[in-house]
Amino acid sequence: MKLFLDSADPKEIASMAATGLVDGVTTNPSLAAKAGMPMFEFLRAICDVVPGSVSAEVTATEADQMIAEGNKLAKIAPNITVKVPLTWDGLKACKALAGDGHKVNVTLCFSPVQALLAAKAGATFISPFIGRLDDAGQDGMALIREIRQTYDNYGFKTEILAASIRHVTHVRDAALAGADVTTMPVGIFKQLAYHPLTDKGLAAFLEDWKKTGQKIL
Ligand code: E4P
């Protein structure tokens, strides 16, 4: 499973990208509003440090304008993926942009039939929002399983990008459910490596090693 960062902060992305474990980045207009710099500026900076897919979202609501915005965003760097919302206009724009060879991420997906439409429109990625479904008292992870089964039934190649991740357990469950990608905030990405027994075990190993008086280097 690929691991993406859900962030529009080039500094925090650069520091995580240095691990070599960041496969891509997703941004959205709400993250852009918090970025404290113009969107084209942070997108360029992110594309400079992450070679994988970097999703940049259109803000128009009509297909023609979405296509025009998508074409402009795609010029920022070769690894830009144009992100469009799951509306009829977004699906039309997806079909056109994908037909022109652009990668497209269809976002704000909350049902398996929406995901089916996105795949038929040629989406590279479909972004089901797990956390927002959970917040609404529904089962976000069930959506990942339903999309996985739908896509596998018909051989769709669109990648399932589990989004709106709230905690590490979401990442684990998305992996078990067969999501192709999970995108998460930097804080959750960092927590993936953490386990209290790892810390406890390491402290005990180091303590015992100290007693030997040896050094490796
Ligand atoms: C994904 O592409 C979205 O940017 C993101 O995961 C939305 O998450 P949120 O529900 O925490 O805003």
Side-chain angles (χ1 to χ4, degrees):
M1 183 173 69
K2 292 176 206 162
L3 300 175
F4 284 12
L5 284 174
D6 197 29
S7 169
D9 179 339
K11 255 194 184 163
E12 67 173 13
I13 292 169
S15 103
M16 285 308 293
T19 64
L21 297 174
V22 177
D23 298 308
V25 172
T26 50
T27 66
N28 66 39
S30 300
L31 291 170
K34 285 190 240 157
M37 68 176 87
M39 181 168 80
F40 278 72
E41 199 178 306
F42 71 69
L43 285 169
R44 260 182 232 111
I46 295 169
C47 289
D48 279 349
V49 292
V50 175
S53 164
V54 175
S55 284
E57 188 160 343
V58 302
T59 54
T61 53
E62 285 173 18
D64 287 351
Q65 285 301 305
M66 288 182 186
I67 295 164
E69 286 186 359
N71 280 319
K72 186 169 176 187
L73 290 168
K75 287 197 181 97
I76 294 172
N79 54 327
I80 285 283
T81 294
V82 180
K83 202 175 183 190
V84 301
L86 212 154
T87 59
W88 282 114
D89 281 279
L91 291 166
K92 269 166 78 178
C94 175
K95 183 91 185 158
L97 289 162
D100 284 345
H102 296 300
K103 288 192 170 173
V104 185
N105 176 357
V106 179
T107 190
L108 289 166
C109 171
F110 295 95
S111 85
V113 288
Q114 285 184 314
L116 177 61
L117 288 172
K120 289 179 76 74
T124 314
F125 300 104
I126 181 69
S127 289
F129 276 36
I130 297 170
R132 292 194 195 186
L133 279 170
D134 287 358
D135 293 347
Q138 298 181 41
D139 183 355
M141 208 52 66
L143 176 58
I144 301 292
R145 292 192 292 273
E146 288 164 5
I147 298 173
R148 180 73 283 153
Q149 189 176 338
T150 304
Y151 282 6
D152 290 350
N153 283 348
Y154 300 100
F156 286 116
K157 296 291 175 233
T158 299
E159 293 187 48
I160 302 171
L161 194 167
S164 186
I165 294 289
R166 300 274 190 264
H167 43 71
V168 168
T169 307
H170 270 157
V171 181
R172 180 197 69 182
D173 291 347
L176 291 171
D180 300 287
V181 188
T182 300
T183 190
M184 69 206 88
V186 168
I188 297 176
F189 202 108
K190 286 183 175 164
Q191 281 173 32
L192 294 181
Y194 175 73
H195 196 285
L197 291 178
T198 304
D199 287 356
K200 196 177 164 198
L202 180 60
F205 283 159
L206 294 179
E207 198 50 44
D208 289 342
W209 177 246
K210 213 167 147 190
K211 287 178 207 153
T212 73
Q214 300 175 70
K215 281 191 173 157
I216 294 175
L217 288 177

